[in-house]
Amino acid sequence: MEIEMASSHEVGGGGGGGEDIENGGGGGWGAEGGGGACLAWEELTAVLPNNGNGHTRRLVNGLTGYALPGRIMAVMGLSGSGKSTFLDSLAGRL
């Protein structure tokens, strides 16, 4: 299995006002001095190899987002929608 991921050093919505993760920006997630790690992903794609059958299959395609420390995040979806594949991709287990 192959994972394609382009990394970004900014966290932000579509408004273009991103905050620099490396320099401690991020809307208060490090404001109390407790630190923590921000997990960010951009254009996360997991591809299943073709195994000689012709076409590859994209299991996860073009996901972008971030998770802040001290916050609860839910990954929700129907059975077979790729939740476990997404989490395995973030954990580097694919």
Side-chain angles (χ1 to χ4, degrees):
M1 183 161 304
E2 174 184 336
I3 299 176
E4 302 170 5
M5 183 168 43
S7 63
S8 173
H9 295 290
E10 290 189 1
V11 175
E19 298 161 323
D20 191 359
I21 293 172
E22 291 180 350
N23 292 326
W29 54 268
E32 296 179 3
C38 178
L39 177 63
W41 58 95
E42 184 175 310
E43 294 297 321
L44 178 68
T45 300
V47 179
L48 187 65
N50 63 13
N51 294 328
N53 297 336
H55 299 290
T56 59
R57 182 172 176 205
R58 291 186 185 269
L59 302 175
V60 175
N61 188 25
L63 299 178
T64 299
Y66 63 94
L68 300 176
R71 304 294 303 254
I72 295 175
M73 184 174 120
V75 179
M76 300 172 61
L78 299 174
S79 178
S81 64
K83 299 176 300 291
S84 294
T85 302
F86 166 66
L87 293 173
D88 286 342
S89 297
L90 289 179
R93 293 191 291 236
L94 293 181

